[in-house]
Amino acid sequence: MLKTQPLPWAIDTHTLTRAVETVAFEADAAERAALGAYAEVREIKKFAAGVQVIGLNGGRYRVSGRLEADIVQASVVDLADVPATLDERFQVEFWPPELIEGNGEDEPSFEAEPPEALSGAKIPIGAFLCELFSVSLEPYPRNEGDSFAWQAPDESNAHPFAELIRLRPKTGDDGDG
């Protein structure tokens, strides 16, 4: 099941009046809670982004900026709180969908980031920031000094079904019943 994006933030391209437009976003408590559920993060204390939008020719836009977040994740070792700070810089282009679909490239370039699609006359910056946030998270968070000490199982009972036999209910009847 696909999750819906929790930040409906968008920049209306019709309202851009300067060559370089600066826009700031900060998530309120409800948006932080929705984003935390979306990204499976225990708590988001701060989520803010400052972006600059530059209009390019052909209805395309270059968006660059910085995402800052203070979060708390659960440790993969003992589920204790793991506080973290994210500070991600980004640059992405938004193009009309028809330009992306027919840009004439036979082979995709792995060196250049592909453009994102505009949604009508809007730059869906909230959806982009959700995705950037999700991929920027530590996949295996743990606190400094945390370690997982694995213990080998007791091999004294080497029979492959020994554990299953132990779990079998005792009925007093040794037959197959």
Side-chain angles (χ1 to χ4, degrees):
M1 177 171 77
L2 294 174
K3 298 179 183 179
T4 59
Q5 300 286 353
L7 300 177
W9 302 340
I11 300 169
D12 187 349
T13 59
H14 292 122
T15 63
L16 301 176
T17 58
R18 295 187 290 252
V20 177
E21 192 82 33
T22 302
V23 185
F25 297 95
E26 186 157 358
D28 61 25
E31 291 169 329
R32 289 192 314 268
L35 182 58
Y38 171 83
E40 298 177 359
V41 172
R42 188 170 280 173
E43 181 182 5
I44 300 175
K45 296 179 179 186
K46 172 188 170 186
F47 185 90
V51 299
Q52 287 187 329
V53 181
I54 299 172
L56 306 172
N57 60 0
R60 300 175 302 154
Y61 297 88
R62 179 175 298 129
V63 178
S64 60
R66 181 178 185 183
L67 168 65
E68 297 176 284
D70 291 330
I71 64 170
V72 177
Q73 291 179 278
S75 170
V76 295
V77 176
D78 59 5
L79 299 179
D81 286 352
V82 180
T85 298
L86 298 178
D87 189 354
E88 297 289 329
R89 296 189 182 277
F90 62 89
Q91 180 172 315
V92 63
E93 289 189 9
F94 286 86
W95 293 8
E98 60 274 8
L99 292 179
I100 294 173
E101 294 167 3
N103 68 358
E105 282 189 28
D106 293 333
E107 295 287 325
S109 170
F110 292 108
E111 296 173 18
E113 288 290 324
E116 298 285 332
L118 289 169
S119 178
K122 295 185 185 277
I123 298 171
I125 194 67
F128 173 78
L129 292 172
C130 286
E131 292 171 8
L132 178 63
F133 175 73
S134 294
V135 300
S136 300
L137 293 172
E138 173 63 44
Y140 303 105
R142 62 183 185 184
N143 288 304
E144 189 174 324
D146 279 354
S147 65
F148 181 74
W150 183 78
Q151 295 178 354
D154 182 15
E155 296 293 331
S156 64
N157 216 354
H159 188 276
F161 298 107
E163 191 63 23
L164 291 175
I165 291 170
R166 186 185 69 76
L167 295 173
R168 187 173 166 187
K170 306 240 187 285
T171 61
D173 182 18
D174 289 337
D176 290 332

